[in-house]
Amino acid sequence: MGTGPTYDPKEPPVIHQQIPFLGHIIGLLQYGLRYFELLSTQHPLPAFTLQTLGTKTYVVNSPDLIQAVQKNAKTLTFHPFVSFMSPRIFGCEKKASDIISDNIDGERGNWGLLPDVTRDMQTALMPGESLNWMTRTMLTKLVEYLDALAVNEDGTEICLYKWVRTAFTVSSTEAAYGPKNPFNHQPELEAAFWEFESDVTMLLLGIAPSITARKGYQARIRFAKALDKYFDEGGPETGSDLIKVRWEGHSKYGAAKYSGVFELGNLIGLLVNATPTFFWMLVHIYSRPDVLSELRTEISRVTKEGTDVSTPTGVKSTRSVDISKLKEHCPLLLSTYQETLRLQTHNTSSRWVSKDTVIADQYLLKAGNIVQMPGYPVHTMPSIYGVDAGTFKANRFIKMETKKEKSKQHPASFRSFGGGATLCPGRHFATAELCAATAMFVMQFEMEPVQGPWKIPDWEQGKVVSAVPPPAKDIKVRVSKRKGTDKVAWKFAFEGNVSRFDV
């Protein structure tokens, strides 16, 4: 074994590295979080240990063991990662980091900036009027981008991911920040955010970030100033409940002046996964004509004809898609969404071992080390998803909804939103906006690649904060109005509450 961390035979088996102590670090720098997926494919074990310079990383792949990790939330916790990452991602001073870290684990009572804000955010993002408001606001803004597509009779050529990124960045932030949304009033902030996101890995390393992550470092300064102005000018008053509770929490704990940089965490949650997910959904659907046809038939059940309206291009009839009925009446749409997440999610859930812990009476995890639970190995297990687990099957989750099949599903078998104490609080909003946006797009438009047949692109590797990576290369497509819809004005309808989506 050589020098380095000692090994207890009760720990998961060690996977050795070609370059002692540095091999796994080099692998992480080269592949990002995908490194854990690659090792899990090479070594199909329930769990294994990686040894580096001063710590160990336990990689857990078995759903049973993942569930056991989640049940030991007191000793296997995510909080230390927040304390470590926040000053590096936010670029904030020590006082701000201290406020975030103070009683972060709730050991001294039910108080603290992070516990309070997290709890209030969960409430704001649960089904109800607050979620309805955010979803209506997001989709109303998105309609502007949809209406601007395919204004030419022969269609419009766009770079698909570039268009999606702009449309979702502005529309999703509008849902959070309301009419004073900085991203709407300062279009350059969109590019600034994605420059920041591209440099997060180097920012986290913290090695001369102003040089090694220059674009991201400068971009962070630009939109932190824009968000500071938003808060100083009373933006939260007309924003969502999500932003209101964040601002109130920051103010309560003396962190109001840091709200601009703290919003980086909120923006990451809003944008980095939903944006590429919309791209992947469209590509998977339009590259499968049978799925596209079935979806249109299904969505037509929640589509209504309305009265004629005057538009800049003449009188048009109206059609509306009622998003409150998507869950009940559009099972293929929801299944397609889940299947997209299943195959495009490349996240890993992280925990810090604060105390020696035995999981499932099987493995010892020693204090001072890290647990990583990659989702993709679970998502492609034939024992859970069948012999065709590695292929896209739009109706997979419809079949899994039968009583017999649901009884076979492991509670830790779907990892796209994490799990346990770190289950994503924004999952209901993300599901509502993505399913509604997809429904509206497929009802309005035909789309085909400008060159050649459809081909699912590779995904960009090396991402750290995104669970759903963007494409490695964009696709240039031609978008045109569906036959018979050029004289139709489309809109979203909200006849009921946004559904709770337990995916």
Side-chain angles (χ1 to χ4, degrees):
M1 302 282 291
T3 60
T6 58
Y7 174 72
D8 189 307
K10 298 186 186 72
E11 294 176 89
V14 174
I15 301 299
H16 297 286
Q17 48 198 327
Q18 292 182 340
I19 304 175
F21 309 120
L22 293 175
H24 295 314
I25 294 174
I26 294 171
L28 283 167
L29 288 174
Q30 183 176 359
Y31 296 106
L33 298 180
R34 186 181 177 233
Y35 183 62
F36 299 124
E37 295 178 14
L38 295 173
L39 288 178
S40 297
T41 301
Q42 296 169 11
H43 308 279
L45 299 167
F48 53 81
T49 301
L50 308 180
Q51 291 187 327
T52 52
L53 287 171
T55 61
K56 303 171 189 173
T57 297
Y58 303 116
V59 179
V60 178
N61 293 312
S62 158
D64 287 336
L65 295 180
I66 290 173
Q67 189 175 27
V69 169
Q70 292 175 173
K71 287 181 177 178
N72 285 277
K74 290 283 187 182
T75 59
L76 306 176
T77 175
F78 183 72
H79 295 138
F81 292 101
V82 178
S83 299
F84 169 79
M85 292 189 298
S86 57
R88 297 184 180 215
I89 290 182
F90 299 156
C92 53
E93 59 187 64
K94 184 177 183 302
K95 184 178 179 180
S97 299
D98 289 344
I99 293 173
I100 292 174
S101 300
D102 193 17
N103 200 39
I104 193 172
D105 54 8
E107 289 293 326
R108 288 177 284 140
N110 189 25
W111 61 271
L113 174 63
L114 192 66
D116 279 9
V117 170
T118 300
R119 182 173 56 251
D120 292 342
M121 286 175 61
Q122 289 170 341
T123 300
L125 290 166
M126 287 297 287
E129 186 48 42
S130 174
L131 181 62
N132 291 344
W133 188 93
M134 286 187 65
T135 308
R136 282 195 302 267
T137 304
M138 187 276 175
L139 296 176
T140 299
K141 189 66 181 178
L142 183 64
V143 166
E144 296 178 17
Y145 289 92
L146 294 171
D147 287 348
L149 271 180
V151 292
N152 303 319
E153 288 187 10
D154 296 330
T156 304
E157 291 186 4
I158 60 170
C159 293
L160 182 57
Y161 184 66
K162 183 180 179 181
W163 178 85
V164 165
R165 199 176 75 172
T166 298
F168 255 67
T169 299
V170 179
S171 301
S172 295
T173 52
E174 191 90 350
Y177 300 109
K180 295 183 179 179
N181 176 24
F183 285 79
N184 193 25
H185 298 290
Q186 297 175 251
E188 68 274 11
L189 292 179
E190 179 214 334
F193 174 78
W194 293 106
E195 284 177 354
F196 159 77
E197 188 270 343
S198 294
D199 271 350
V200 163
T201 301
M202 296 308 298
L203 289 170
L204 279 172
L205 284 176
I207 302 172
S210 62
I211 299 172
T212 59
R214 183 178 60 83
K215 286 186 176 180
Y217 185 90
Q218 293 297 328
R220 182 174 64 188
I221 294 172
R222 290 199 301 276
F223 61 73
K225 285 182 178 179
L227 287 163
D228 281 336
K229 183 180 179 183
Y230 169 84
F231 287 107
D232 290 343
E233 294 181 352
E237 294 174 9
T238 54
S240 66
D241 285 352
L242 173 67
I243 295 302
K244 287 185 176 75
V245 299
R246 288 179 61 82
W247 172 245
E248 289 165 3
H250 297 161
S251 301
K252 176 181 176 181
Y253 287 97
K257 71 175 183 177
Y258 305 119
S259 289
V261 291
F262 285 175
E263 276 305 295
L264 290 173
N266 192 37
L267 288 167
I268 288 171
L270 276 171
L271 299 175
V272 299
N273 295 316
T275 303
T277 298
F278 187 43
F279 168 88
W280 292 117
M281 282 191 75
L282 294 179
V283 171
H284 280 299
I285 290 168
Y286 278 88
S287 62
R288 295 169 173 85
D290 56 332
V291 174
L292 178 61
S293 177
E294 288 181 52
L295 281 172
R296 285 172 171 164
T297 300
E298 182 179 83
I299 296 164
S300 67
R301 299 172 196 153
V302 296
T303 302
K304 285 186 177 181
E305 299 283 344
T307 57
D308 290 352
V309 295
S310 296
T311 72
T313 57
V315 176
K316 293 185 177 181
S317 61
T318 59
R319 289 182 196 171
S320 59
V321 177
D322 187 353
I323 69 163
S324 63
K325 295 180 180 178
L326 290 177
K327 181 180 180 181
E328 181 182 355
H329 296 284
C330 300
L332 181 60
L333 176 64
L334 187 60
S335 178
T336 302
Y337 167 67
Q338 291 173 278
E339 182 73 345
T340 300
L341 286 177
R342 185 182 72 85
L343 287 179
Q344 300 300 156
T345 297
H346 296 273
N347 64 337
T348 181
S349 299
S350 305
R351 299 291 188 273
W352 176 259
V353 186
S354 62
K355 182 180 178 181
D356 285 7
T357 304
V358 176
I359 56 171
D361 297 322
Q362 189 173 359
Y363 290 119
L364 169 67
L365 308 181
K366 301 195 76 173
N369 296 304
I370 297 169
V371 180
Q372 298 285 7
M373 298 170 282
Y376 193 76
V378 177
H379 285 178
T380 51
M381 283 185 176
S383 60
I384 297 174
Y385 291 104
V387 294
D388 59 354
T391 61
F392 186 93
K393 189 176 180 181
N395 66 351
R396 185 184 304 277
F397 286 85
I398 296 178
K399 295 185 176 182
M400 293 182 73
E401 279 297 306
T402 66
K403 187 174 181 180
K404 182 179 179 181
E405 289 298 319
K406 286 190 80 169
S407 67
K408 296 179 184 178
Q409 283 182 258
H410 196 287
S413 64
F414 192 80
R415 307 296 304 161
S416 295
F417 294 111
T422 58
L423 182 65
C424 174
R427 63 194 182 280
H428 304 299
F429 174 65
T431 303
E433 66 172 341
L434 284 160
C435 287
T438 302
M440 184 64 83
F441 195 99
V442 301
M443 293 305 284
Q444 287 196 61
F445 303 114
E446 303 291 359
M447 183 169 67
E448 60 184 2
V450 172
Q451 293 184 336
W454 281 103
K455 182 180 179 183
I456 307 298
D458 293 331
W459 48 276
E460 186 178 342
Q461 299 182 22
K463 295 291 185 181
V464 173
V465 296
S466 58
V468 182
K473 186 178 180 180
D474 209 342
I475 303 175
K476 195 168 187 178
V477 297
R478 181 178 293 104
V479 182
S480 57
K481 284 283 189 180
R482 287 180 66 198
K483 187 177 181 180
T485 65
D486 55 322
K487 298 297 183 182
V488 176
W490 288 87
K491 65 178 183 177
F492 290 102
F494 307 87
E495 295 185 5
N497 290 326
V498 174
S499 300
R500 180 188 182 99
F501 291 93
D502 293 314
V503 296

